[in-house]
């Protein structure tokens, strides 16, 4: 996969959203990362199905929906019908005996199936599911909060997962989320990531489009 920036909606100004999305699209970002939080799997609550529906109709971007929620199986169909293109569930939120079936269900709907792991989850667990995934999302910070600093151990975790994917599913997208900015993106790329979720480093800058261009120029 050609390296891409996925601006994170969580950091955007919702009062003035349309020009921000137009700016990042014009700068080369075609994927929009959307964090869905339920206040239980993570402490915060964020956007839900109505927002996905609106973005699917108007954004013209691929919607990368990151489900930071408990029991995501209850909502897979609803998020698919709302217009999500990629649905990523957390390893920690799904019983092990149900995870393979859930990933298959997402794919059967014609969507890309993603699997994410928290920073304190051993990345070796991915080996059992790599062939069922279109995307693996490595969290380098605890999920649920924007603006956190990149964990230097993240690059080693990315490299371990890249090795797993090279062996089991080379076409799988390897995404990284948490503290990605102009100082950390190059190391994450060298470690093997090819999709970079960036919130504050894009929407926290005076010109979101220029921020995307700068990040892309580093890759």
């Amino acid at each position: 996969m050609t390296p891409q920036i996925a601006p994170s909606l969580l950091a955007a100004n919702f009062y003035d959203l349309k020009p921000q999305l137009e700016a990042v699209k014009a700068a080369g970002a075609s994927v929009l990362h959307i964090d869905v939080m339920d206040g239980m799997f993570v402490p915060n609550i964020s956007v839900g199905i109505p927002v996905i529906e609106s973005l699917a109709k108007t954004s013209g971007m691929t919607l990368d929906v990151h489900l930071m929620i408990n029991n995501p199986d209850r909502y897979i169909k609803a998020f698919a019908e709302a217009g999500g293109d990629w649905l990523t569930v957390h390893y920690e939120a799904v019983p092990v005996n149900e995870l393979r079936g859930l990933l298959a269900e997402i794919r059967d709907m014609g969507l890309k199936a993603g699997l994410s792991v928290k920073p304190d989850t051993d990345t070796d667990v991915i080996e059992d599911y790599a062939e069922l995934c279109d995307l693996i999302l490595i969290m380098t910070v605890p999920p649920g909060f924007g603006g956190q600093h990149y964990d230097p151990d993240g690059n080693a975790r990315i490299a371990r997962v890249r090795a797993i994917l090279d062996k089991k599913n080379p076409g799988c997208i390897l995404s990284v989320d948490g503290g990605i900015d102009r100082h950390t993106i190059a190391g994450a790329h060298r470690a093997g990531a090819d999709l970079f979720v960036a919130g504050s480093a894009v929407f926290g800058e005076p010109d979101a489009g220029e921020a995307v261009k700068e990040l892309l120029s580093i890759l």
Side-chain angles (χ1 to χ4, degrees):
M1 175 182 176
T2 301
Q4 293 190 47
I5 307 300
S8 177
L9 187 72
L10 187 66
N13 177 355
F14 281 75
Y15 183 76
D16 198 29
L17 190 57
K18 183 178 179 180
Q20 294 172 85
L21 296 186
E22 290 177 344
V24 298
K25 280 172 59 183
S30 61
V31 177
L32 182 64
H33 186 86
I34 305 170
D35 289 314
V36 176
M37 307 179 191
D38 63 0
M40 293 179 288
F41 181 72
V42 293
N44 286 329
I45 296 174
S46 64
V47 302
I49 290 167
V51 173
I52 307 293
E53 289 177 334
S54 296
L55 291 168
K57 293 174 183 175
T58 60
S59 71
M61 302 178 76
T62 296
L63 302 186
D64 172 20
V65 182
H66 178 192
L67 298 177
M68 301 186 197
I69 63 176
N70 284 331
N71 306 118
D73 56 293
R74 296 178 298 167
Y75 300 103
I76 292 299
K77 184 177 179 181
F79 278 107
E81 291 177 345
D85 298 296
W86 305 352
L87 295 186
T88 295
V89 300
H90 263 269
Y91 171 82
E92 302 86 0
V94 183
V96 171
N97 64 337
E98 297 177 12
L99 186 52
R100 297 179 70 87
L102 184 57
L103 293 169
E105 181 182 350
I106 295 171
R107 280 181 152 185
D108 287 345
M109 292 178 180
L111 310 181
K112 288 190 183 297
L115 181 63
S116 183
V117 290
K118 293 181 179 182
D120 56 356
T121 296
D122 191 331
T123 53
D124 286 349
V125 301
I126 291 169
E127 190 145 11
D128 290 336
Y129 307 98
E131 293 172 286
L132 298 171
C133 296
D134 302 291
L135 179 149
I136 299 294
L137 175 59
I138 301 300
M139 297 296 301
T140 63
V141 300
F145 299 90
Q148 299 184 71
H149 296 294
Y150 192 81
D151 182 349
D153 291 340
N155 291 341
R157 289 168 57 78
I158 293 167
R160 287 197 294 271
V161 175
R162 182 75 270 166
I164 292 171
L165 295 180
D166 285 346
K167 179 174 66 174
K168 295 210 161 189
N169 188 0
C172 185
I173 298 165
L174 181 49
S175 181
V176 56
D177 184 3
I180 290 295
D181 59 23
R182 64 176 66 92
H183 304 294
T184 60
I185 193 169
H189 184 217
R190 286 193 297 270
D194 40 32
L195 181 66
F196 304 88
V197 178
S200 302
V202 171
F203 292 123
E205 294 296 316
D207 187 324
E210 288 301 315
V212 167
K213 290 178 182 178
E214 181 182 4
L215 292 173
L216 286 171
S217 73
I218 297 171
L219 300 174

